[in-house]
Amino acid sequence: MRGKIGTIFIISLLVLAVASCGCAENTGQQAVPNSSTELQNSGTVQITDMLGRQLTVPGEISSVVATSPPSTILVYMLAPDKLAGWNFKNNFTQPFMEENCTKLPEIGGWFGTQTGNYETIINMHPDIVVEGYTTDGEIHEAIERRQESFGSIPVVAVDESIIFVTQSDPTIEYVGKLLDCESQAEKLIEFRSSILNEINSTVKDIPEDEKVRVYYAEGPKGLMTDPSGSQHSQVIDICGGINVADCQLTPGKGMTQVSIEQVMTWNPEVIITSDPQFYSTVYSDPLWASVDAVQNKRVYLAPQNPFCWIDRPQGPHLIIGTAWTAKTLYPDLFTNMDLPQLTREFYSEFFHYELTDKELNTLLNPAAEA
């Protein structure tokens, strides 16, 4: 009897020992650094950001701050309920965006000549901070500086592709997964691809000598600009225009100073501008009177609300700006492009706002408000 009990006891000990070894082995396994791996009993996940940095973030992200407008606008377009604040606000009586988001605080950031305040953002207690395109130093250095200053708040890096209309898909897709809104990200990618495919197929065969010569007028006097290849004038390149500005490309904020004599020499057929003040005076200013675009009434003010469609800030909203630019430069080639319908769809899906007929007309005819 004692022999049987002893045997059973020994077998039980062996079973427990094997089970314990298995548990120890499982406990020692490393979590895979991706957004689907939940850390045990912590409600957090490990992710790899777009610079390859491994971070621990909340498993459910509900509050996001981004440090510059391109990333902030992307967060708003994909997940407006998660956005905690704006880098800046345009001074519109009625901005065309979701009402609750118009009430979000202005928190600043690091873009252009702006320098943000860390304490302002820390006191908001966001789940994560998104750092994307920055003019505040080289991106790797900026990220380390941000993370040190933000302390325990994870700083998630996304790359600068979001400022380029033709390159933005990876960042849109990444932020969609990060914020658990993949279907919304896919909608934005599909909308972008549809517009760019139509533009590319239409302008790719235009002979060089038939392409429209375009000047991008910046500033209240129109005497600052950005040449071909600049992030600030990208819509001209995308839409098959010839950017006439033969001047130095100013990195970062852009806006190279030029003279009216240079503009007269370039003599553009079309002028596009993002500055309402310049637009309101260009036709009455004798300095501009001899320029072909002015004589032929082909100066165009880009739509502005809630953000300018062609520049400053750059971001995913420039997608609709490429459609506007294509239609502006080549109206005869884009007769089948229904810009009003595209605008309604874009604002409904991505600015989360249903435009009235009056608002649509005001948006697409900003010259009447200039």
Side-chain angles (χ1 to χ4, degrees), residues 47-66:
I47 65 167
T48 302
D49 71 11
M50 295 187 78
L51 285 184
R53 299 162 60 248
Q54 293 186 17
L55 302 166
T56 300
V57 303
E60 187 173 331
I61 295 171
S62 60
S63 177
V64 181
V65 165

Side-chain angles (χ1 to χ4, degrees), residues 83-99:
L83 184 65
W86 297 104
N87 305 119
F88 73 94
K89 288 183 177 181
N90 281 322
N91 188 28
F92 294 112
T93 302
Q94 174 56 50
F96 299 156
M97 63 171 61
E98 199 274 330
E99 183 177 2

Side-chain angles (χ1 to χ4, degrees), residues 39-332:
L39 301 180
Q40 188 174 8
N41 299 324
S42 67
T44 60
V45 296
Q46 284 188 335
I47 65 167
T48 302
D49 71 11
M50 295 187 78
L51 285 184
R53 299 162 60 248
Q54 293 186 17
L55 302 166
T56 300
V57 303
E60 187 173 331
I61 295 171
S62 60
S63 177
V64 181
V65 165
T67 60
S68 62
S71 300
T72 296
I73 294 170
L74 178 60
V75 172
Y76 168 70
M77 293 172 75
L78 298 186
D81 57 315
K82 299 179 189 291
L83 184 65
W86 297 104
N87 305 119
F88 73 94
K89 288 183 177 181
N90 281 322
N91 188 28
F92 294 112
T93 302
Q94 174 56 50
F96 299 156
M97 63 171 61
E98 199 274 330
E99 183 177 2
N100 289 332
C101 289
T102 65
K103 302 172 184 177
L104 294 175
E106 185 175 337
I107 60 173
W110 291 263
F111 55 97
T113 60
Q114 304 299 311
T115 300
N117 184 292
Y118 288 103
E119 289 303 319
T120 298
I121 296 174
I122 290 171
N123 290 336
M124 296 174 67
H125 306 291
D127 292 326
I128 62 171
V129 171
V130 174
E131 169 69 48
Y133 166 73
T134 179
T135 55
D136 184 35
E138 197 272 334
I139 183 65
H140 290 81
E141 297 174 357
I143 283 291
E144 294 307 318
R145 188 163 59 250
R146 298 276 187 271
Q147 189 61 80
E148 182 178 352
S149 298
F150 281 123
S152 62
I153 303 173
V155 178
V156 181
V158 298
D159 67 35
E160 67 174 10
S161 70
I162 193 56
I163 70 174
F164 299 104
V165 176
T166 60
Q167 302 173 27
S168 56
D169 282 4
T171 302
I172 295 172
E173 183 177 11
Y174 179 86
V175 175
K177 291 179 179 178
L178 177 69
L179 302 183
D180 193 26
C181 51
E182 290 96 332
S183 61
Q184 180 72 354
E186 186 58 36
K187 285 181 185 178
L188 183 56
I189 290 171
E190 289 177 0
F191 191 96
R192 185 203 75 95
S193 296
S194 176
I195 286 181
L196 288 186
N197 289 340
E198 182 175 357
I199 291 173
N200 290 337
S201 64
T202 303
V203 305
K204 65 182 177 65
D205 295 325
I206 300 176
E208 197 69 17
D209 61 354
E210 294 181 16
K211 290 183 177 180
V212 175
R213 302 176 72 255
V214 188
Y215 174 70
Y216 175 31
E218 300 178 84
K221 295 183 179 180
L223 293 177
M224 289 185 284
T225 193
D226 285 283
S228 179
S230 169
Q231 67 198 38
H232 299 288
S233 60
Q234 60 181 292
V235 293
I236 299 173
D237 295 335
I238 292 170
C239 296
I242 295 177
N243 188 331
V244 300
D246 182 12
C247 62
Q248 182 180 0
L249 191 157
T250 303
K253 66 179 182 179
M255 300 185 80
T256 301
Q257 187 76 43
V258 297
S259 67
I260 188 61
E261 289 78 17
Q262 287 175 293
V263 178
M264 292 168 67
T265 299
W266 297 330
N267 199 24
E269 301 168 79
V270 168
I271 295 174
I272 60 173
T273 184
S274 56
D275 195 293
Q277 184 176 339
F278 168 73
Y279 182 85
S280 68
T281 62
V282 64
Y283 285 121
S284 60
D285 189 337
L287 289 177
W288 291 83
S290 66
V291 177
D292 277 358
V294 177
Q295 290 188 346
N296 296 322
K297 304 296 183 185
R298 295 204 68 187
V299 182
Y300 302 97
L301 176 62
Q304 306 283 311
N305 192 346
F307 304 105
C308 179
W309 280 19
I310 62 172
D311 187 27
R312 292 190 179 82
Q314 295 86 44
H317 63 291
L318 265 60
I319 294 169
I320 190 65
T322 59
W324 175 84
T325 304
K327 190 91 170 178
T328 297
L329 300 188
Y330 299 105
D332 293 340

